[in-house]
Amino acid sequence: LEILVTILNMNDNSPVFKQTNLTEVVPEDTKVNATIVAREDLSASDADLDTIFYELTTIVPGTDGYFAIKGVNNPEIYLQKALDYEKFKLTTLVLYARDRPVGSIDTTNTATATINIFIEQADTRSPWFLPCTFINMDNSICISSPYTGRVNISEMSTEPLILEPGPIYAIDPDYSINEKIVYSIVGGDTDKVFSVDADTGNLTMNKAATSPDSYLLQVMATQVNNIQKYSVVSVEIKVINKSDYPPYFESRIYNGTVFVGLAPRSFVFQAGDPSSPLMITAVDDDFPNV
């Protein structure tokens, strides 16, 4: 009697990853749809020769939606959404490999692999002049105010000019890169009255200003490694008459009279003359006719 015995394959083996823990460093400016981890580095094998079904999850809050796999049977991980170093600097993904589809009522064996993703900051932002004010929730845009200063007409200062709200200064907002920045005047100085120090941003004078008209300079901050990364700020320099004398009060003592029960913001009257409001005045000998 010849007996033919067929041995049925029992699902008694779990899928196996070649690596169960991977680490990838991803530049912030990686293009969307670019491959992050290749299929051959993530494919699992199964001694039962079953078809493997994959699922990718993110376990770090706030980092969902950036990475995905190409398909349920293709574990290649790709970038699904543009990265932003300011939003998060690392995340952890968990890749599941199952020998049955998700939701199957059959006995299912599962393996997992952990993928740690570190975001590497890229040179994506132009310099910021300081101080500046953030105008969006993620602090990715910072708007600076114009600088202002003044010089005396027909007088050349030998020291760096004092400006408000502070000296000319710009930074690379890609903090971990912190590229060197140089400064230059790119507009508003037709008479070449001013110079800016390329390294420090200090604004100095080449010669005296002979016109009472203000100067509206345009100062540019440029990254040394990439001239396409630059910002421009306005610097208004007012030309004024030199002040030789300090202002002074016309009287050393002023005496006034108030009455009980007066409403707020009522006039204070001159002592001895209740019909004349008290006037406190100062003069400046630099402006004798004012």
Side-chain angles (χ1 to χ4, degrees), residues 35-238:
T35 296
I36 303 302
V37 186
R39 178 175 185 170
E40 53 268 25
D41 294 329
L42 294 171
S43 295
S45 59
D46 188 344
D48 297 318
L49 303 180
D50 290 320
T51 299
I52 306 298
F53 299 87
Y54 298 95
E55 181 186 9
L56 186 68
T57 62
T58 305
I59 63 174
V60 177
T63 63
D64 290 332
Y66 287 89
F67 302 95
I69 56 175
K70 286 294 183 70
V72 68
N73 301 122
N74 182 355
E76 178 179 312
I77 297 177
Y78 70 99
L79 183 63
Q80 188 170 242
K81 186 168 63 173
L83 297 169
D84 186 343
Y85 184 81
E86 298 302 322
K87 291 183 177 179
F88 70 96
K89 299 171 178 57
L90 59 91
T91 187
T92 300
L93 312 175
V94 176
L95 181 64
Y96 292 87
R98 301 182 177 91
D99 54 15
R100 294 291 185 271
V102 175
S104 173
I105 62 174
D106 297 331
T107 301
T108 304
N109 298 306
T110 303
T112 60
T114 301
I115 302 97
N116 299 297
I117 304 288
F118 291 90
I119 311 304
E120 181 180 62
Q121 188 170 33
D123 189 8
T124 60
R125 296 178 178 176
S126 298
W128 289 345
F129 282 98
L130 299 182
C132 64
T133 302
F134 292 110
I135 63 171
N136 57 345
M137 296 298 294
D138 61 1
N139 294 342
S140 61
I141 301 175
C142 202
I143 302 299
S144 62
S145 299
Y147 296 96
T148 60
R150 60 185 183 180
V151 297
N152 295 325
I153 193 168
S154 302
E155 181 177 304
M156 189 184 86
S157 174
T158 58
E159 298 294 327
L161 301 184
I162 297 175
L163 304 176
E164 295 291 340
I168 296 172
Y169 180 60
I171 61 168
D172 179 4
D174 297 312
Y175 303 111
S176 67
I177 300 176
N178 195 27
E179 289 293 348
K180 178 178 173 58
I181 291 172
V182 294
Y183 305 90
S184 60
I185 297 175
V186 294
D189 190 22
T190 54
D191 298 330
K192 305 298 181 185
V193 175
F194 302 96
S195 291
V196 65
D197 188 286
D199 294 319
T200 66
N202 285 336
L203 191 66
T204 55
M205 300 185 71
N206 299 320
K207 57 185 179 181
T210 58
S211 170
D213 296 332
S214 297
Y215 290 85
L216 188 60
L217 309 178
Q218 302 297 313
V219 176
M220 183 166 68
T222 309
Q223 289 185 195
V224 172
N225 71 320
N226 186 351
I227 61 173
Q228 294 183 340
K229 292 289 190 302
Y230 68 89
S231 293
V232 177
V233 72
S234 296
V235 183
E236 183 183 12
I237 304 297
K238 297 179 180 179

